[in-house]
Amino acid sequence: GFIPDKSKSDLHFVKYALDLMRHRFLSVSRGATQDNLSLDKLLSFPILIPDVHEQRRIGAILSAYDEMMENSQRRIWILEAMARALYREWLVYFRFPGHEKLPRVASPLGEIPEGWEITPLSSLVDFAKGRKPAETRPEPLPGDVKVLLIDSLHGGEAVFASPAKLILAETRDTIMVMDGASSCEVTIGSSGAVGSTLGRFRSIWPDRFSPHALYRFLEAKAEEFKSKNIGAAIPHANKDYILMQQVTLPPKAIASGFQAQLEPIQCTVETLKLQIQNLRRTRDLLLPRLLSGQVNFKEN
Protein backbone atom coordinates (compact mmCIF):
# COMPACT_ATOMS: atom_id res chain seq x y z
CA GLY A 1 0.00 0.00 0.00
CA PHE A 2 1.08 3.57 -0.72
CA ILE A 3 0.19 6.52 1.46
CA PRO A 4 1.03 9.74 -0.41
CA ASP A 5 2.73 12.71 1.16
CA LYS A 6 0.05 15.22 0.19
CA SER A 7 2.54 18.08 0.12
CA LYS A 8 4.51 16.28 -2.62
CA SER A 9 2.24 13.87 -4.45
CA ASP A 10 -1.32 13.13 -5.52
CA LEU A 11 -2.75 9.66 -4.92
CA HIS A 12 -4.40 9.39 -8.35
CA PHE A 13 -1.29 10.62 -10.16
CA VAL A 14 0.86 7.99 -8.43
CA LYS A 15 -1.66 5.29 -9.26
CA TYR A 16 -1.63 6.15 -12.97
CA ALA A 17 2.15 6.49 -12.99
CA LEU A 18 2.40 2.94 -11.63
CA ASP A 19 -0.11 1.77 -14.24
CA LEU A 20 2.09 3.22 -16.97
CA MET A 21 5.19 1.50 -15.55
CA ARG A 22 3.60 -1.93 -15.24
CA HIS A 23 5.54 -3.45 -18.15
CA ARG A 24 8.78 -2.28 -16.56
CA PHE A 25 7.84 -3.89 -13.26
CA LEU A 26 7.12 -7.15 -15.06
CA SER A 27 10.55 -7.11 -16.68
CA VAL A 28 12.31 -7.26 -13.30
CA SER A 29 9.90 -9.58 -11.51
CA ARG A 30 10.46 -12.76 -13.53
CA GLY A 31 11.51 -15.67 -11.35
CA ALA A 32 12.56 -19.25 -11.97
CA THR A 33 9.59 -20.74 -10.11
CA GLN A 34 7.46 -17.71 -9.17
CA ASP A 35 7.38 -14.07 -10.21
CA ASN A 36 8.20 -11.62 -7.44
CA LEU A 37 8.33 -7.84 -7.30
CA SER A 38 10.16 -6.90 -4.13
CA LEU A 39 9.76 -3.55 -2.42
CA ASP A 40 13.44 -2.75 -3.09
CA LYS A 41 12.95 -3.32 -6.82
CA LEU A 42 9.76 -1.30 -6.85
CA LEU A 43 11.27 1.69 -5.02
CA SER A 44 14.29 1.72 -7.31
CA PHE A 45 12.21 3.01 -10.24
CA PRO A 46 12.19 6.79 -10.66
CA ILE A 47 8.92 8.54 -11.49
CA LEU A 48 8.91 11.73 -13.54
CA ILE A 49 6.62 14.12 -11.69
CA PRO A 50 5.50 17.73 -12.10
CA ASP A 51 4.63 19.89 -9.09
CA VAL A 52 1.86 18.65 -6.84
CA HIS A 53 -0.77 21.06 -8.23
CA GLU A 54 -0.29 19.77 -11.76
CA GLN A 55 -0.26 16.20 -10.44
CA ARG A 56 -3.70 16.80 -8.96
CA ARG A 57 -5.03 18.21 -12.22
CA ILE A 58 -3.67 15.24 -14.21
CA GLY A 59 -4.99 12.78 -11.63
CA ALA A 60 -8.41 14.43 -11.73
CA ILE A 61 -8.59 14.23 -15.53
CA LEU A 62 -7.66 10.55 -15.67
CA SER A 63 -9.78 9.53 -12.68
CA ALA A 64 -12.79 11.23 -14.30
CA TYR A 65 -12.56 8.67 -17.12
CA ASP A 66 -12.49 5.82 -14.59
CA GLU A 67 -15.50 7.27 -12.76
CA MET A 68 -17.49 7.49 -16.00
CA MET A 69 -16.58 3.87 -16.81
CA GLU A 70 -17.62 2.76 -13.33
CA ASN A 71 -20.95 4.58 -13.67
CA SER A 72 -21.61 2.90 -17.01
CA GLN A 73 -20.66 -0.48 -15.55
CA ARG A 74 -23.09 0.03 -12.66
CA ARG A 75 -25.86 0.81 -15.14
CA ILE A 76 -25.01 -2.39 -17.02
CA TRP A 77 -25.27 -4.44 -13.80
CA ILE A 78 -28.70 -2.93 -13.07
CA LEU A 79 -29.96 -3.57 -16.61
CA GLU A 80 -28.63 -7.14 -16.57
CA ALA A 81 -30.40 -7.75 -13.26
CA MET A 82 -33.64 -6.41 -14.79
CA ALA A 83 -33.27 -8.73 -17.79
CA ARG A 84 -32.67 -11.78 -15.60
CA ALA A 85 -35.69 -10.90 -13.46
CA LEU A 86 -37.89 -10.59 -16.55
CA TYR A 87 -36.65 -13.95 -17.83
CA ARG A 88 -37.48 -15.65 -14.53
CA GLU A 89 -40.92 -14.01 -14.28
CA TRP A 90 -42.01 -14.77 -17.84
CA LEU A 91 -40.31 -18.04 -18.78
CA VAL A 92 -39.49 -19.77 -15.47
CA TYR A 93 -42.29 -18.80 -13.07
CA PHE A 94 -44.79 -18.25 -15.93
CA ARG A 95 -45.96 -14.89 -14.55
CA PHE A 96 -46.29 -13.21 -17.93
CA PRO A 97 -49.12 -10.73 -18.69
CA GLY A 98 -52.41 -12.63 -18.75
CA HIS A 99 -51.05 -15.76 -17.07
CA GLU A 100 -53.97 -15.80 -14.63
CA LYS A 101 -56.37 -16.75 -17.42
CA LEU A 102 -54.43 -19.83 -18.54
CA PRO A 103 -54.88 -23.15 -16.75
CA ARG A 104 -51.80 -25.27 -15.95
CA VAL A 105 -51.23 -28.68 -17.51
CA ALA A 106 -48.84 -31.49 -16.59
CA SER A 107 -45.52 -31.85 -18.41
CA PRO A 108 -42.19 -33.68 -17.94
CA LEU A 109 -40.86 -30.50 -16.27
CA GLY A 110 -43.86 -30.01 -14.01
CA GLU A 111 -46.97 -27.93 -14.56
CA ILE A 112 -46.79 -25.43 -17.43
CA PRO A 113 -49.38 -23.03 -18.86
CA GLU A 114 -51.77 -24.43 -21.43
CA GLY A 115 -50.46 -23.86 -24.96
CA TRP A 116 -46.81 -24.14 -23.96
CA GLU A 117 -44.60 -27.02 -25.12
CA ILE A 118 -41.54 -28.93 -23.91
CA THR A 119 -38.88 -29.18 -26.63
CA PRO A 120 -35.20 -30.26 -26.58
CA LEU A 121 -32.74 -27.43 -27.13
CA SER A 122 -31.17 -29.33 -30.04
CA SER A 123 -34.34 -28.84 -32.10
CA LEU A 124 -34.43 -25.09 -31.43
CA VAL A 125 -30.88 -23.97 -32.15
CA ASP A 126 -28.12 -24.21 -34.69
CA PHE A 127 -24.86 -24.87 -32.81
CA ALA A 128 -21.42 -24.44 -34.39
CA LYS A 129 -18.00 -24.73 -32.77
CA GLY A 130 -15.60 -21.91 -33.66
CA ARG A 131 -12.46 -22.31 -35.74
CA LYS A 132 -8.96 -20.91 -35.58
CA PRO A 133 -8.19 -18.45 -38.39
CA ALA A 134 -5.18 -19.20 -40.55
CA GLU A 135 -3.93 -15.65 -39.89
CA THR A 136 -4.97 -12.72 -37.70
CA ARG A 137 -3.92 -9.07 -37.77
CA PRO A 138 -4.34 -6.08 -35.45
CA GLU A 139 -5.74 -3.85 -38.22
CA PRO A 140 -8.44 -5.06 -40.64
CA LEU A 141 -7.91 -5.43 -44.38
CA PRO A 142 -10.85 -4.89 -46.76
CA GLY A 143 -13.37 -7.67 -46.19
CA ASP A 144 -11.97 -8.70 -42.80
CA VAL A 145 -14.15 -9.35 -39.76
CA LYS A 146 -13.43 -9.16 -36.07
CA VAL A 147 -12.32 -12.45 -34.52
CA LEU A 148 -14.30 -13.22 -31.36
CA LEU A 149 -11.91 -14.50 -28.70
CA ILE A 150 -12.30 -14.85 -24.93
CA ASP A 151 -10.02 -11.85 -24.36
CA SER A 152 -11.76 -9.60 -26.89
CA LEU A 153 -15.19 -10.44 -25.44
CA HIS A 154 -13.94 -9.11 -22.09
CA GLY A 155 -12.70 -5.81 -23.54
CA GLY A 156 -9.26 -6.88 -24.78
CA GLU A 157 -7.63 -5.75 -28.01
CA ALA A 158 -9.47 -6.87 -31.15
CA VAL A 159 -7.85 -8.86 -33.96
CA PHE A 160 -9.19 -9.36 -37.47
CA ALA A 161 -9.15 -12.06 -40.14
CA SER A 162 -10.67 -13.04 -43.45
CA PRO A 163 -14.10 -14.66 -42.88
CA ALA A 164 -13.42 -17.46 -45.39
CA LYS A 165 -14.11 -20.93 -43.91
CA LEU A 166 -14.83 -19.46 -40.46
CA ILE A 167 -17.98 -19.67 -38.33
CA LEU A 168 -19.68 -16.28 -38.30
CA ALA A 169 -21.86 -14.89 -35.51
CA GLU A 170 -24.45 -12.13 -35.61
CA THR A 171 -25.18 -9.72 -32.76
CA ARG A 172 -28.21 -11.69 -31.53
CA ASP A 173 -26.42 -15.04 -31.48
CA THR A 174 -25.30 -16.39 -28.11
CA ILE A 175 -21.57 -17.05 -27.78
CA MET A 176 -20.45 -19.66 -25.24
CA VAL A 177 -16.92 -20.34 -23.99
CA MET A 178 -16.36 -24.02 -24.77
CA ASP A 179 -12.85 -24.62 -23.40
CA GLY A 180 -10.84 -23.60 -20.35
CA ALA A 181 -11.54 -22.28 -16.88
CA SER A 182 -14.37 -19.98 -18.04
CA SER A 183 -16.15 -22.66 -20.05
CA CYS A 184 -19.97 -22.37 -20.25
CA GLU A 185 -19.93 -18.59 -19.77
CA VAL A 186 -22.12 -16.88 -22.35
CA THR A 187 -22.42 -13.47 -23.95
CA ILE A 188 -24.62 -11.77 -26.54
CA GLY A 189 -24.22 -8.67 -28.68
CA SER A 190 -21.02 -9.45 -30.57
CA SER A 191 -20.61 -10.16 -34.27
CA GLY A 192 -17.66 -11.59 -36.16
CA ALA A 193 -15.77 -14.84 -36.69
CA VAL A 194 -16.05 -17.27 -33.77
CA GLY A 195 -12.69 -18.34 -32.34
CA SER A 196 -11.77 -21.97 -31.74
CA THR A 197 -12.43 -21.89 -27.97
CA LEU A 198 -15.98 -20.58 -28.44
CA GLY A 199 -19.27 -21.90 -29.75
CA ARG A 200 -22.19 -20.15 -31.45
CA PHE A 201 -25.84 -20.83 -30.57
CA ARG A 202 -28.42 -19.42 -32.99
CA SER A 203 -32.18 -19.74 -32.60
CA ILE A 204 -33.71 -21.39 -35.69
CA TRP A 205 -37.26 -20.79 -34.41
CA PRO A 206 -37.05 -17.15 -33.24
CA ASP A 207 -40.81 -16.56 -33.29
CA ARG A 208 -41.20 -19.21 -30.55
CA PHE A 209 -37.72 -19.21 -28.96
CA SER A 210 -36.38 -15.68 -29.24
CA PRO A 211 -32.64 -14.86 -29.24
CA HIS A 212 -33.00 -13.27 -25.80
CA ALA A 213 -34.82 -16.32 -24.44
CA LEU A 214 -32.00 -18.52 -25.75
CA TYR A 215 -29.31 -16.34 -24.17
CA ARG A 216 -31.04 -16.11 -20.78
CA PHE A 217 -31.74 -19.86 -20.77
CA LEU A 218 -28.06 -20.68 -21.33
CA GLU A 219 -26.95 -18.01 -18.85
CA ALA A 220 -29.30 -19.29 -16.13
CA LYS A 221 -27.99 -22.84 -16.51
CA ALA A 222 -24.28 -21.97 -16.87
CA GLU A 223 -23.30 -23.33 -13.44
CA GLU A 224 -25.16 -26.59 -14.07
CA PHE A 225 -23.47 -26.94 -17.46
CA LYS A 226 -20.10 -26.24 -15.89
CA SER A 227 -20.61 -29.06 -13.40
CA LYS A 228 -20.98 -31.42 -16.40
CA ASN A 229 -17.74 -30.34 -18.09
CA ILE A 230 -15.57 -33.05 -19.61
CA GLY A 231 -11.78 -33.27 -19.91
CA ALA A 232 -9.16 -34.00 -17.27
CA ALA A 233 -6.42 -31.41 -17.84
CA ILE A 234 -8.45 -28.75 -19.68
CA PRO A 235 -12.22 -28.54 -19.01
CA HIS A 236 -14.51 -28.54 -22.02
CA ALA A 237 -18.21 -27.70 -22.13
CA ASN A 238 -20.29 -30.83 -22.63
CA LYS A 239 -22.07 -29.91 -25.86
CA ASP A 240 -24.18 -33.08 -25.91
CA TYR A 241 -25.47 -32.48 -22.38
CA ILE A 242 -26.31 -28.86 -23.19
CA LEU A 243 -28.19 -29.67 -26.40
CA MET A 244 -30.28 -32.39 -24.71
CA GLN A 245 -31.79 -29.89 -22.24
CA GLN A 246 -35.56 -29.54 -22.29
CA VAL A 247 -36.95 -26.03 -22.92
CA THR A 248 -40.40 -24.70 -22.07
CA LEU A 249 -41.55 -23.13 -25.31
CA PRO A 250 -44.17 -20.34 -25.15
CA PRO A 251 -46.72 -19.45 -27.85
CA LYS A 252 -45.68 -16.90 -30.46
CA ALA A 253 -47.43 -13.96 -28.82
CA ILE A 254 -45.68 -14.44 -25.50
CA ALA A 255 -42.31 -15.10 -27.18
CA SER A 256 -42.69 -11.87 -29.18
CA GLY A 257 -43.70 -9.93 -26.08
CA PHE A 258 -40.66 -11.19 -24.18
CA GLN A 259 -38.36 -10.25 -27.07
CA ALA A 260 -39.90 -6.76 -27.17
CA GLN A 261 -39.25 -6.29 -23.45
CA LEU A 262 -35.61 -7.45 -23.62
CA GLU A 263 -34.46 -5.80 -26.85
CA PRO A 264 -34.26 -2.18 -25.59
CA ILE A 265 -32.46 -3.37 -22.44
CA GLN A 266 -29.87 -5.22 -24.52
CA CYS A 267 -29.41 -2.27 -26.90
CA THR A 268 -28.71 0.02 -23.93
CA VAL A 269 -26.22 -2.49 -22.49
CA GLU A 270 -24.37 -2.65 -25.82
CA THR A 271 -24.28 1.16 -26.06
CA LEU A 272 -22.83 1.40 -22.54
CA LYS A 273 -20.21 -1.25 -23.31
CA LEU A 274 -19.17 0.70 -26.40
CA GLN A 275 -18.93 3.87 -24.31
CA ILE A 276 -16.69 2.06 -21.81
CA GLN A 277 -14.41 0.85 -24.62
CA ASN A 278 -14.13 4.37 -26.05
CA LEU A 279 -13.48 5.91 -22.62
CA ARG A 280 -10.82 3.31 -21.85
CA ARG A 281 -9.15 3.86 -25.21
CA THR A 282 -9.14 7.65 -24.74
CA ARG A 283 -7.80 7.37 -21.18
CA ASP A 284 -5.04 5.00 -22.29
CA LEU A 285 -4.04 7.39 -25.08
CA LEU A 286 -3.96 10.33 -22.68
CA LEU A 287 -2.15 8.49 -19.89
CA PRO A 288 1.43 8.47 -21.27
CA ARG A 289 1.05 11.91 -22.83
CA LEU A 290 -0.15 13.59 -19.65
CA LEU A 291 2.36 11.86 -17.40
CA SER A 292 5.30 12.57 -19.71
CA GLY A 293 4.34 16.22 -20.22
CA GLN A 294 3.68 15.81 -23.95
CA VAL A 295 0.21 17.23 -23.39
CA ASN A 296 0.48 20.52 -21.55
CA PHE A 297 -2.35 22.67 -20.28
CA LYS A 298 -2.54 25.89 -18.41
CA GLU A 299 -5.08 27.31 -16.01
CA ASN A 300 -7.64 29.63 -17.64
Side-chain angles (χ1 to χ4, degrees):
F2 292 86
I3 301 174
D5 179 344
K6 294 183 179 180
S7 67
K8 298 179 181 179
S9 62
D10 174 72
L11 175 63
H12 290 106
F13 181 91
V14 173
K15 184 266 182 191
Y16 292 113
L18 295 176
D19 281 348
L20 190 60
M21 297 167 67
R22 183 172 181 272
H23 68 284
R24 296 171 63 191
F25 298 151
L26 289 171
S27 68
V28 298
S29 63
R30 304 296 184 195
T33 57
Q34 181 175 322
D35 292 348
N36 175 55
L37 180 62
S38 69
L39 186 60
D40 288 340
K41 289 179 181 177
L42 186 62
L43 295 178
S44 68
F45 284 92
I47 299 178
L48 180 66
I49 60 168
D51 66 72
V52 69
H53 299 293
E54 189 162 346
Q55 286 183 53
R56 289 175 185 146
R57 293 168 64 198
I58 292 172
I61 290 171
L62 295 172
S63 63
Y65 282 92
D66 282 342
E67 289 172 8
M68 287 188 285
M69 286 188 280
E70 289 171 8
N71 287 336
S72 293
Q73 190 61 60
R74 281 193 289 270
R75 291 182 62 193
I76 289 172
W77 290 333
I78 293 169
L79 290 166
E80 287 286 349
M82 290 171 55
R84 293 187 191 102
L86 280 168
Y87 168 75
R88 289 192 298 268
E89 286 294 300
W90 283 54
L91 303 184
V92 177
Y93 303 138
F94 310 123
R95 292 195 288 251
F96 49 87
H99 69 93
E100 306 92 342
K101 301 175 183 178
L102 290 179
R104 299 291 180 95
V105 297
S107 81
L109 296 180
E111 289 191 343
I112 61 174
E114 189 176 59
W116 291 52
E117 300 175 25
I118 303 297
T119 308
L121 183 64
S122 58
S123 68
L124 299 173
V125 301
D126 170 48
F127 171 80
K129 182 76 160 60
R131 298 173 184 167
K132 184 177 181 179
E135 180 185 4
T136 61
R137 38 195 162 263
E139 298 295 332
L141 296 177
D144 277 1
V145 296
K146 181 180 178 180
V147 180
L148 302 180
L149 304 171
I150 295 175
D151 184 54
S152 63
L153 291 175
H154 290 86
E157 291 297 323
V159 295
F160 302 87
S162 167
K165 298 182 179 179
L166 298 180
I167 301 298
L168 300 181
E170 300 171 355
T171 55
R172 287 300 170 263
D173 292 335
T174 295
I175 304 299
M176 177 180 283
V177 179
M178 302 302 293
D179 307 300
S182 57
S183 56
C184 301
E185 290 183 7
V186 291
T187 187
I188 192 173
S190 299
S191 62
V194 183
S196 59
T197 59
L198 305 175
R200 184 205 68 194
F201 290 81
R202 175 178 294 168
S203 176
I204 57 176
W205 205 357
D207 59 344
R208 293 288 304 277
F209 192 47
S210 73
H212 291 300
L214 168 61
Y215 170 64
R216 295 299 165 183
F217 174 82
L218 294 173
E219 181 192 45
K221 296 179 75 68
E223 287 303 315
E224 176 189 337
F225 294 158
K226 199 163 189 174
S227 71
K228 303 296 183 181
N229 278 354
I230 55 177
I234 300 176
H236 305 285
N238 189 336
K239 179 196 71 172
D240 294 335
Y241 178 82
I242 294 170
L243 291 176
M244 67 181 283
Q245 296 301 302
Q246 298 293 308
V247 178
T248 51
L249 201 62
K252 290 182 181 180
I254 296 172
S256 297
F258 179 75
Q259 179 75 3
Q261 291 283 328
L262 269 288
E263 184 62 22
I265 294 176
Q266 184 61 38
C267 288
T268 305
V269 167
E270 289 165 12
T271 298
L272 290 169
K273 286 182 177 180
L274 184 60
Q275 288 176 359
I276 290 173
Q277 290 177 10
N278 291 336
L279 287 166
R280 183 180 292 114
R281 189 178 299 113
T282 304
R283 182 204 61 190
D284 291 347
L285 286 171
L286 275 174
L287 179 60
R289 290 167 172 79
L290 285 172
L291 267 62
S292 67
Q294 286 179 281
V295 174
N296 195 12
F297 50 84
K298 296 185 180 295
E299 300 272 10
N300 289 330

